Amino acid sequence: MRKIALYPGTFDPITNGHYDIIERGMRLFDEVIVAVADSQEKKPMFTLQERVDMVKLAIRDLERVQVVGFDNLTVELANTLGATVLIRGLRAVSDFEFELQLGYLNNSLDSNIETVYLMPKLKHAFISSSIVRNLLKFNGKTEHLLPQPVQNVIGSMKSCTLR
């Protein structure tokens, strides 16, 4: 039986830390599905379609990884896609409490869903999408934080006004 893992998040935008977690997930599972959440309550900088497109660009050379956008419960999406594992990234102890609660919640909604926590490489541990968004607002350097194809897209958007 194929083991399918779902890696849900807002990915606003996808970072090198996210990419690292995807690569680690590929070593553990037959397929990794990156699920980009609509998350309008978080007021994302990029539209859902822009975020889905950026993730697709970032993972274009990876086999066994697909990307979907979603606006429903994560466990519902997992069931629809046949995923039995959720991947979550942990950068620091500060992430742990929230992620643990989320894992328990998802398991309470569907006891067949397990959550696996993966840590990015130390060089990516400080990277978060919110840090990247703040840098983008002030025209800060982000090349070392983003996959190159994503950096290229965002660089071309800078000629327009970022939200």
Side-chain angles (χ1 to χ4, degrees):
M1 185 167 146
R2 290 176 45 87
K3 269 290 190 202
I4 301 171
L6 189 70
Y7 181 25
T10 309
F11 303 101
D12 186 36
I14 184 171
T15 68
N16 287 334
H18 294 129
Y19 187 87
D20 185 40
I21 296 294
I22 294 166
E23 286 185 312
R24 288 166 183 267
M26 288 176 55
R27 287 184 237 153
L28 299 171
F29 304 102
D30 298 314
E31 182 178 351
V32 174
I33 302 170
V34 181
V36 183
D38 191 20
S39 293
Q40 286 307 305
E41 66 280 354
K42 287 187 174 183
K43 297 181 173 101
M45 177 178 277
F46 301 99
T47 68
L48 176 60
Q49 190 59 55
E50 287 169 337
R51 290 180 282 129
V52 166
D53 290 344
M54 283 190 266
V55 174
K56 284 181 179 179
L57 275 173
I59 60 103
R60 67 181 176 212
D61 295 330
L62 300 178
E63 295 180 14
R64 302 179 293 113
V65 180
Q66 62 175 294
V67 182
V68 297
F70 76 107
D71 64 356
N72 58 333
L73 289 174
T74 302
V75 294
E76 289 175 359
L77 180 65
N79 284 322
T80 300
L81 299 173
T84 57
V85 176
L86 301 178
I87 296 174
R88 298 298 295 173
L90 288 177
R91 293 171 303 216
V93 174
S94 57
D95 291 340
F96 185 75
E97 187 173 1
F98 173 77
E99 292 296 342
L100 187 66
Q101 289 175 336
L102 194 56
Y104 284 141
L105 171 65
N106 287 326
N107 188 258
S108 78
L109 295 172
D110 184 338
S111 62
N112 295 315
I113 299 287
E114 295 293 340
T115 301
V116 173
Y117 304 95
L118 299 176
M119 299 178 310
K121 291 179 183 151
L122 187 57
K123 69 181 182 177
H124 303 305
F126 73 96
I127 304 172
S128 70
S129 292
S130 57
I131 287 173
V132 171
R133 288 191 307 273
N134 283 332
L135 287 170
L136 290 171
K137 285 179 189 175
F138 295 103
N139 245 353
K141 179 182 171 189
T142 57
E143 293 84 5
H144 59 300
L145 306 176
L146 300 172
Q148 190 59 55
V150 174
Q151 180 63 44
N152 293 344
V153 167
I154 290 174
S156 69
M157 289 176 153
K158 282 185 179 179
S159 59
C160 307
T161 304
L162 288 175
R163 293 172 277 295

